[in-house]
Amino acid sequence: MTNYNASAHGGSGEMGGIEVTTAYMPLAFVLLFFPAKIFIDDGPEIPHGWGTKVYPIAPGRHRVRAYTPYFFIFKMGDATFDVDVQPGQVTGTKWKAPWLIFLAGVWEVLGLRPMQPGEGSAPAGIQPQAQPQPQPQMAEAAAAGGTAPAGWLPDPSGQHQVRYWDGNAWTEHVN
């Protein structure tokens, strides 16, 4: 996967979002001094802290990782979760720190809601990119079984808007 890069995800060009809520149980109030860290698609560390933030991102499947640095146990609650983002929708997720430092954190999906204009912001230095548009000339070469560069092309089955051509064959990745 790529970092906030829509070229790895097909779609119509409309952004979606991931809403990440980080929490800990009330008796673990000492965690207030150890803010949670978030990573999206193996990208740079996002100093998320505790609470809820929305990150605009291209539609598709994304991997979200969370943990909190804790004294000498550097990655308390380290857990990864795959999130499906729909165009124009925010997928709500929640990561809860474990009650014991050596356990993994727990992820849950909170649901979908419409994305509001201007909602959320990409972390500093990372800009969400627009969706690529299918390239018809490459699609014709791929459909004919010829060689075409890898990319998002119109789905030859007609069931989806675009399907990923890896340069040799159609993959299961669609949008």
Side-chain angles (χ1 to χ4, degrees), residues 26-130:
L27 293 177
F29 61 88
V30 73
L31 290 180
L32 182 63
F33 300 107
F34 302 96
K37 310 285 185 193
I38 300 292
F39 297 82
I40 299 177
D41 293 335
D42 299 322
E45 175 184 293
I46 302 168
H48 181 85
W50 299 103
T52 302
K53 291 185 182 173
V54 176
Y55 301 101
I57 197 161
R61 178 162 282 189
H62 298 278
R63 179 158 286 181
V64 182
R65 176 181 173 210
Y67 69 82
T68 185
Y70 185 75
F71 290 111
F72 299 107
I73 309 298
F74 293 111
K75 296 178 181 170
M76 178 181 166
D78 194 357
T80 304
F81 188 65
D82 287 332
V83 179
D84 290 320
V85 176
Q86 304 298 321
Q89 299 287 313
V90 173
T91 303
T93 62
K94 182 177 184 179
W95 174 81
K96 195 165 189 183
W99 62 281
L100 289 175
I101 61 173
F102 54 84
L103 296 176
V106 177
W107 280 101
E108 66 179 286
V109 174
L110 301 177
L112 288 174
R113 65 175 175 75
M115 186 164 194
Q116 303 301 317
E119 180 175 37
S121 62
I126 299 176
Q127 297 298 320
Q129 297 177 0

